[in-house]
Amino acid sequence: MADDLSVVNGARVSFARRKEEMDESDEGLIRFLMRDRHGTPFEHNSFRFHIRAPIFVAREWFRHRVGSFNEFSMRYAKATDEFYVPAREDVRSQVGKPGAYSFDPVSDEIAETTREELKAVYDAAYETYERLVELGVARELARCVLPVGAYTEFYWTVNARSLMNFVSLRASETAQREIRRYAEACETFLAEKMPITHAAFVASDRTAP
Ligand SMILES: Cc1cc2nc3c(=O)[nH]c(=O)nc-3n(C[C@H](O)[C@H](O)[C@H](O)COP(=O)(O)OP(=O)(O)OC[C@H]3O[C@@H](n4cnc5c(N)ncnc54)[C@H](O)[C@@H]3O)c2cc1C
């Protein structure tokens, strides 16, 4: 539900003008709007994503207030037994100070131990969850035993301006690797649906207008 033309028409209505097709001057207009941070013309469109992500990623995501969310309910439905186990190469150490951490690889042995420990906790947590549900405990309470590595799913509907803000913050080096991958994936849809807007965003050092 998004295209570059919606940006152009959002801006050109100031002069009571409307286009049916993009031309070169419109590409220049988009670049100008991006560069000078005229953000509102980038709001007349929407992207709807259906996301599956661990709860810890979703929590970071939901901090982005400009957009709409609907999420899977662990009150109404039984939790799935799907949990995030990082690939070996994603198990990392954290070195440095807040705001300037670097994340270094760990030995194969530590990576494997981490993965095994996580799986053991996930298995025990899910077993307890199922046991409590079977005893008749409400799902809304039984879910307390599930860790933030459990997967959730949600819809996210957002306009291009807010999506660029999200990408700018979450596809950056400073964002956590796990959400960064989702942000990079979201960015591919921006590039596909709004290629001129995306190119202007990249040319503006990925600063959202
Ligand atoms: C690397 C990183 C580390 C982070 N660490 C922490 C942390 O330790 N603790 C923590 O709590 N959060 C943390 N956050 C979350 C961060 O503070 C923001 O809540 C989150 O990135 C959403 O950004 P946003 O407010 O720009 O987006 P949105 O909420 O989508 O808002 C979009 C824009 O709308 C405007 N806006 C929205 N609401 C208001 C408002 N109430 N008043 C004025 N303007 C508004 C702002 O211009 C804002 O940029 C972190 C984020 C990142 C990327």
Side-chain angles (χ1 to χ4, degrees):
M1 296 173 279
D3 59 16
D4 287 316
L5 196 59
S6 66
V7 181
V8 169
N9 284 329
R12 292 208 190 276
V13 74
S14 300
F15 306 99
R17 292 189 53 203
R18 183 172 188 281
K19 292 259 186 107
E20 294 295 335
E21 270 182 46
M22 298 276 295
D23 64 30
E24 243 175 63
S25 68
D26 297 322
E27 297 186 14
L29 174 61
I30 289 180
R31 284 193 292 273
F32 160 76
L33 294 170
M34 187 73 70
R35 205 173 45 241
D36 280 31
R37 305 196 68 199
H38 294 291
T40 48
F42 295 96
E43 296 174 5
H44 301 288
N45 55 74
S46 80
F47 290 80
R48 185 179 62 229
F49 296 97
H50 185 183
I51 314 282
R52 254 186 90 255
I55 289 171
F56 70 90
V57 169
R59 278 197 63 177
E60 294 187 342
W61 208 311
F62 295 167
R63 298 302 310 280
H64 293 260
R65 294 157 291 181
V66 181
S68 300
F69 294 94
N70 275 96
E71 188 189 8
F72 169 72
S73 169
M74 286 192 203
R75 291 187 72 201
Y76 305 137
K78 193 172 169 207
T80 65
D81 61 349
E82 291 166 58
F83 297 90
Y84 174 66
V85 179
R88 260 185 207 200
E89 59 276 19
D90 286 326
V91 181
R92 54 210 184 251
S93 67
Q94 179 174 345
V95 185
K97 293 191 217 147
Y101 289 124
S102 64
F103 297 92
D104 297 334
V106 295
S107 67
D108 278 354
E109 198 189 336
I110 294 179
E112 212 30 61
T113 303
T114 306
R115 285 162 48 83
E116 292 305 322
E117 297 267 7
L118 279 171
K119 284 184 209 161
V121 169
Y122 293 154
D123 286 346
Y126 198 75
E127 263 175 47
T128 308
Y129 171 78
E130 283 203 300
R131 209 164 44 242
L132 293 177
V133 170
E134 248 156 56
L135 285 173
V137 174
R139 286 188 289 248
E140 66 184 18
L141 202 56
R143 67 176 166 178
C144 295
V145 299
L146 297 175
V148 293
Y151 273 87
T152 183
E153 70 173 278
F154 58 92
Y155 281 98
W156 181 47
T157 299
V158 65
N159 65 46
R161 186 185 190 186
S162 188
L163 178 58
M164 286 187 275
N165 184 53
F166 174 79
V167 168
S168 154
L169 292 167
R170 300 299 186 177
S172 108
E173 277 293 306
T174 52
Q176 176 162 347
R177 186 177 304 180
E178 282 75 13
I179 196 168
R180 196 159 74 216
R181 290 193 177 133
Y182 285 90
E184 286 163 0
C186 289
E187 185 175 359
T188 64
F189 289 93
L190 175 69
E192 184 188 316
K193 297 288 177 190
M194 300 178 73
I196 312 295
T197 298
H198 179 254
F201 169 64
V202 172
S204 295
D205 288 333
R206 308 175 104 80
T207 303

PDB file of all heavy atoms in Angstrom, residues 60 63-67 162 165 169-170 172 174-176, ligand 1:
ATOM      1  N   GLU A  60      11.551  -4.497  21.995  1.00  0.00           N
ATOM      2  CA  GLU A  60      12.279  -3.355  21.414  1.00  0.00           C
ATOM      3  C   GLU A  60      11.439  -2.708  20.309  1.00  0.00           C
ATOM      4  O   GLU A  60      11.387  -1.487  20.178  1.00  0.00           O
ATOM      5  CB  GLU A  60      13.624  -3.818  20.854  1.00  0.00           C
ATOM      6  CG  GLU A  60      14.587  -4.298  21.928  1.00  0.00           C
ATOM      7  CD  GLU A  60      15.989  -4.593  21.407  1.00  0.00           C
ATOM      8  OE1 GLU A  60      16.169  -4.764  20.181  1.00  0.00           O
ATOM      9  OE2 GLU A  60      16.912  -4.665  22.229  1.00  0.00           O
ATOM     10  N   ARG A  63       8.527  -0.288  21.163  1.00  0.00           N
ATOM     11  CA  ARG A  63       8.871   1.067  21.604  1.00  0.00           C
ATOM     12  C   ARG A  63       8.627   2.088  20.500  1.00  0.00           C
ATOM     13  O   ARG A  63       8.602   3.286  20.755  1.00  0.00           O
ATOM     14  CB  ARG A  63      10.340   1.136  22.041  1.00  0.00           C
ATOM     15  CG  ARG A  63      10.707   0.253  23.222  1.00  0.00           C
ATOM     16  CD  ARG A  63       9.889   0.571  24.450  1.00  0.00           C
ATOM     17  NE  ARG A  63       9.880   2.000  24.745  1.00  0.00           N
ATOM     18  CZ  ARG A  63      10.861   2.651  25.353  1.00  0.00           C
ATOM     19  NH1 ARG A  63      11.906   2.016  25.803  1.00  0.00           N
ATOM     20  NH2 ARG A  63      10.789   3.964  25.554  1.00  0.00           N
ATOM     21  N   HIS A  64       8.482   1.594  19.267  1.00  0.00           N
ATOM     22  CA  HIS A  64       8.247   2.509  18.134  1.00  0.00           C
ATOM     23  C   HIS A  64       6.758   2.825  18.084  1.00  0.00           C
ATOM     24  O   HIS A  64       5.952   2.053  17.565  1.00  0.00           O
ATOM     25  CB  HIS A  64       8.799   1.886  16.851  1.00  0.00           C
ATOM     26  CG  HIS A  64      10.290   1.787  16.905  1.00  0.00           C
ATOM     27  ND1 HIS A  64      11.115   2.696  16.291  1.00  0.00           N
ATOM     28  CD2 HIS A  64      11.099   0.939  17.595  1.00  0.00           C
ATOM     29  CE1 HIS A  64      12.380   2.403  16.582  1.00  0.00           C
ATOM     30  NE2 HIS A  64      12.402   1.331  17.370  1.00  0.00           N
ATOM     31  N   ARG A  65       6.391   3.969  18.661  1.00  0.00           N
ATOM     32  CA  ARG A  65       4.992   4.289  18.934  1.00  0.00           C
ATOM     33  C   ARG A  65       4.206   4.695  17.707  1.00  0.00           C
ATOM     34  O   ARG A  65       2.989   4.600  17.697  1.00  0.00           O
ATOM     35  CB  ARG A  65       4.937   5.437  19.969  1.00  0.00           C
ATOM     36  CG  ARG A  65       5.465   5.019  21.328  1.00  0.00           C
ATOM     37  CD  ARG A  65       5.925   6.213  22.133  1.00  0.00           C
ATOM     38  NE  ARG A  65       7.140   6.800  21.542  1.00  0.00           N
ATOM     39  CZ  ARG A  65       7.780   7.839  22.027  1.00  0.00           C
ATOM     40  NH1 ARG A  65       7.322   8.440  23.094  1.00  0.00           N
ATOM     41  NH2 ARG A  65       8.879   8.297  21.437  1.00  0.00           N
ATOM     42  N   VAL A  66       4.904   5.194  16.677  1.00  0.00           N
ATOM     43  CA  VAL A  66       4.157   5.667  15.516  1.00  0.00           C
ATOM     44  C   VAL A  66       3.959   4.506  14.555  1.00  0.00           C
ATOM     45  O   VAL A  66       4.829   4.176  13.735  1.00  0.00           O
ATOM     46  CB  VAL A  66       4.865   6.863  14.855  1.00  0.00           C
ATOM     47  CG1 VAL A  66       4.054   7.368  13.667  1.00  0.00           C
ATOM     48  CG2 VAL A  66       5.024   7.987  15.887  1.00  0.00           C
ATOM     49  N   GLY A  67       2.807   3.862  14.704  1.00  0.00           N
ATOM     50  CA  GLY A  67       2.496   2.664  13.930  1.00  0.00           C
ATOM     51  C   GLY A  67       1.453   1.905  14.721  1.00  0.00           C
ATOM     52  O   GLY A  67       1.120   2.283  15.845  1.00  0.00           O
ATOM     53  N   SER A 162       7.727   6.664   9.411  1.00  0.00           N
ATOM     54  CA  SER A 162       8.017   5.958  10.654  1.00  0.00           C
ATOM     55  C   SER A 162       8.879   4.715  10.390  1.00  0.00           C
ATOM     56  O   SER A 162       9.744   4.358  11.195  1.00  0.00           O
ATOM     57  CB  SER A 162       6.692   5.577  11.322  1.00  0.00           C
ATOM     58  OG  SER A 162       6.933   5.068  12.591  1.00  0.00           O
ATOM     59  N   ASN A 165      12.350   5.832  10.229  1.00  0.00           N
ATOM     60  CA  ASN A 165      12.862   6.077  11.579  1.00  0.00           C
ATOM     61  C   ASN A 165      13.280   4.752  12.240  1.00  0.00           C
ATOM     62  O   ASN A 165      14.359   4.639  12.837  1.00  0.00           O
ATOM     63  CB  ASN A 165      11.785   6.786  12.412  1.00  0.00           C
ATOM     64  CG  ASN A 165      12.282   7.172  13.799  1.00  0.00           C
ATOM     65  OD1 ASN A 165      13.304   7.824  13.940  1.00  0.00           O
ATOM     66  ND2 ASN A 165      11.578   6.736  14.832  1.00  0.00           N
ATOM     67  N   LEU A 169      17.186   3.580  13.148  1.00  0.00           N
ATOM     68  CA  LEU A 169      17.634   3.233  14.505  1.00  0.00           C
ATOM     69  C   LEU A 169      17.979   1.763  14.668  1.00  0.00           C
ATOM     70  O   LEU A 169      18.905   1.407  15.390  1.00  0.00           O
ATOM     71  CB  LEU A 169      16.532   3.602  15.517  1.00  0.00           C
ATOM     72  CG  LEU A 169      16.262   5.094  15.688  1.00  0.00           C
ATOM     73  CD1 LEU A 169      14.960   5.312  16.449  1.00  0.00           C
ATOM     74  CD2 LEU A 169      17.419   5.755  16.407  1.00  0.00           C
ATOM     75  N   ARG A 170      17.210   0.897  13.997  1.00  0.00           N
ATOM     76  CA  ARG A 170      17.325  -0.534  14.293  1.00  0.00           C
ATOM     77  C   ARG A 170      18.129  -1.323  13.278  1.00  0.00           C
ATOM     78  O   ARG A 170      18.475  -2.480  13.550  1.00  0.00           O
ATOM     79  CB  ARG A 170      15.928  -1.151  14.423  1.00  0.00           C
ATOM     80  CG  ARG A 170      15.072  -0.544  15.525  1.00  0.00           C
ATOM     81  CD  ARG A 170      15.675  -0.709  16.911  1.00  0.00           C
ATOM     82  NE  ARG A 170      14.742  -0.241  17.942  1.00  0.00           N
ATOM     83  CZ  ARG A 170      14.982  -0.327  19.239  1.00  0.00           C
ATOM     84  NH1 ARG A 170      16.101  -0.835  19.696  1.00  0.00           N
ATOM     85  NH2 ARG A 170      14.086   0.132  20.106  1.00  0.00           N
ATOM     86  N   SER A 172      20.919  -0.111  12.403  1.00  0.00           N
ATOM     87  CA  SER A 172      22.234   0.499  12.595  1.00  0.00           C
ATOM     88  C   SER A 172      23.135  -0.445  13.401  1.00  0.00           C
ATOM     89  O   SER A 172      22.667  -1.353  14.080  1.00  0.00           O
ATOM     90  CB  SER A 172      22.058   1.846  13.307  1.00  0.00           C
ATOM     91  OG  SER A 172      22.504   1.767  14.625  1.00  0.00           O
ATOM     92  N   THR A 174      24.565   0.063  16.064  1.00  0.00           N
ATOM     93  CA  THR A 174      24.391   0.127  17.515  1.00  0.00           C
ATOM     94  C   THR A 174      23.197  -0.694  17.999  1.00  0.00           C
ATOM     95  O   THR A 174      23.054  -0.919  19.198  1.00  0.00           O
ATOM     96  CB  THR A 174      24.198   1.589  17.982  1.00  0.00           C
ATOM     97  OG1 THR A 174      23.157   2.160  17.201  1.00  0.00           O
ATOM     98  CG2 THR A 174      25.468   2.406  17.818  1.00  0.00           C
ATOM     99  N   ALA A 175      22.324  -1.108  17.088  1.00  0.00           N
ATOM    100  CA  ALA A 175      21.149  -1.894  17.501  1.00  0.00           C
ATOM    101  C   ALA A 175      21.557  -3.347  17.744  1.00  0.00           C
ATOM    102  O   ALA A 175      22.567  -3.827  17.212  1.00  0.00           O
ATOM    103  CB  ALA A 175      20.078  -1.815  16.425  1.00  0.00           C
ATOM    104  N   GLN A 176      20.738  -4.022  18.540  1.00  0.00           N
ATOM    105  CA  GLN A 176      21.031  -5.444  18.806  1.00  0.00           C
ATOM    106  C   GLN A 176      20.906  -6.250  17.511  1.00  0.00           C
ATOM    107  O   GLN A 176      19.992  -6.042  16.713  1.00  0.00           O
ATOM    108  CB  GLN A 176      20.060  -5.991  19.867  1.00  0.00           C
ATOM    109  CG  GLN A 176      20.270  -7.470  20.093  1.00  0.00           C
ATOM    110  CD  GLN A 176      19.683  -8.012  21.382  1.00  0.00           C
ATOM    111  OE1 GLN A 176      19.298  -7.253  22.264  1.00  0.00           O
ATOM    112  NE2 GLN A 176      19.643  -9.320  21.484  1.00  0.00           N
TER     113      GLN A 176
HETATM  114  C1  LIG B   1      20.355   1.328  20.125  1.00  0.00           C
HETATM  115  C2  LIG B   1      19.141   1.634  20.945  1.00  0.00           C
HETATM  116  C3  LIG B   1      19.196   1.535  22.320  1.00  0.00           C
HETATM  117  C4  LIG B   1      18.049   1.807  23.099  1.00  0.00           C
HETATM  118  N1  LIG B   1      18.136   1.684  24.450  1.00  0.00           N
HETATM  119  C5  LIG B   1      17.042   1.964  25.220  1.00  0.00           C
HETATM  120  C6  LIG B   1      17.083   1.835  26.639  1.00  0.00           C
HETATM  121  O1  LIG B   1      18.097   1.488  27.216  1.00  0.00           O
HETATM  122  N2  LIG B   1      15.955   2.114  27.350  1.00  0.00           N
HETATM  123  C7  LIG B   1      14.802   2.542  26.747  1.00  0.00           C
HETATM  124  O2  LIG B   1      13.822   2.791  27.421  1.00  0.00           O
HETATM  125  N3  LIG B   1      14.734   2.634  25.397  1.00  0.00           N
HETATM  126  C8  LIG B   1      15.804   2.375  24.619  1.00  0.00           C
HETATM  127  N4  LIG B   1      15.721   2.466  23.259  1.00  0.00           N
HETATM  128  C9  LIG B   1      14.419   2.836  22.645  1.00  0.00           C
HETATM  129  C10 LIG B   1      14.403   4.313  22.225  1.00  0.00           C
HETATM  130  O3  LIG B   1      14.549   5.157  23.346  1.00  0.00           O
HETATM  131  C11 LIG B   1      13.078   4.642  21.498  1.00  0.00           C
HETATM  132  O4  LIG B   1      12.004   4.421  22.390  1.00  0.00           O
HETATM  133  C12 LIG B   1      12.842   3.780  20.288  1.00  0.00           C
HETATM  134  O5  LIG B   1      14.004   3.676  19.511  1.00  0.00           O
HETATM  135  C13 LIG B   1      11.703   4.378  19.448  1.00  0.00           C
HETATM  136  O6  LIG B   1      12.189   5.522  18.782  1.00  0.00           O
HETATM  137  P1  LIG B   1      11.272   6.769  18.459  1.00  0.00           P
HETATM  138  O7  LIG B   1      10.751   7.380  19.704  1.00  0.00           O
HETATM  139  O8  LIG B   1      12.074   7.672  17.552  1.00  0.00           O
HETATM  140  O9  LIG B   1      10.107   6.089  17.581  1.00  0.00           O
HETATM  141  P2  LIG B   1       8.544   6.336  17.650  1.00  0.00           P
HETATM  142  O10 LIG B   1       8.017   6.074  19.013  1.00  0.00           O
HETATM  143  O11 LIG B   1       7.958   5.561  16.507  1.00  0.00           O
HETATM  144  O12 LIG B   1       8.387   7.876  17.393  1.00  0.00           O
HETATM  145  C14 LIG B   1       8.703   8.416  16.104  1.00  0.00           C
HETATM  146  C15 LIG B   1       8.985   9.903  16.268  1.00  0.00           C
HETATM  147  O13 LIG B   1       7.782  10.565  16.684  1.00  0.00           O
HETATM  148  C16 LIG B   1       8.119  11.591  17.603  1.00  0.00           C
HETATM  149  N5  LIG B   1       7.481  11.272  18.887  1.00  0.00           N
HETATM  150  C17 LIG B   1       6.839  10.120  19.238  1.00  0.00           C
HETATM  151  N6  LIG B   1       6.350  10.221  20.480  1.00  0.00           N
HETATM  152  C18 LIG B   1       6.713  11.436  20.941  1.00  0.00           C
HETATM  153  C19 LIG B   1       6.520  12.103  22.161  1.00  0.00           C
HETATM  154  N7  LIG B   1       5.883  11.552  23.211  1.00  0.00           N
HETATM  155  N8  LIG B   1       7.007  13.355  22.291  1.00  0.00           N
HETATM  156  C20 LIG B   1       7.664  13.949  21.276  1.00  0.00           C
HETATM  157  N9  LIG B   1       7.906  13.360  20.077  1.00  0.00           N
HETATM  158  C21 LIG B   1       7.420  12.118  19.917  1.00  0.00           C
HETATM  159  C22 LIG B   1       9.635  11.624  17.706  1.00  0.00           C
HETATM  160  O14 LIG B   1      10.128  12.539  16.748  1.00  0.00           O
HETATM  161  C23 LIG B   1      10.034  10.227  17.315  1.00  0.00           C
HETATM  162  O15 LIG B   1      11.351  10.127  16.787  1.00  0.00           O
HETATM  163  C24 LIG B   1      16.824   2.198  22.468  1.00  0.00           C
HETATM  164  C25 LIG B   1      16.791   2.308  21.078  1.00  0.00           C
HETATM  165  C26 LIG B   1      17.902   2.022  20.308  1.00  0.00           C
HETATM  166  C27 LIG B   1      17.820   2.133  18.800  1.00  0.00           C
END
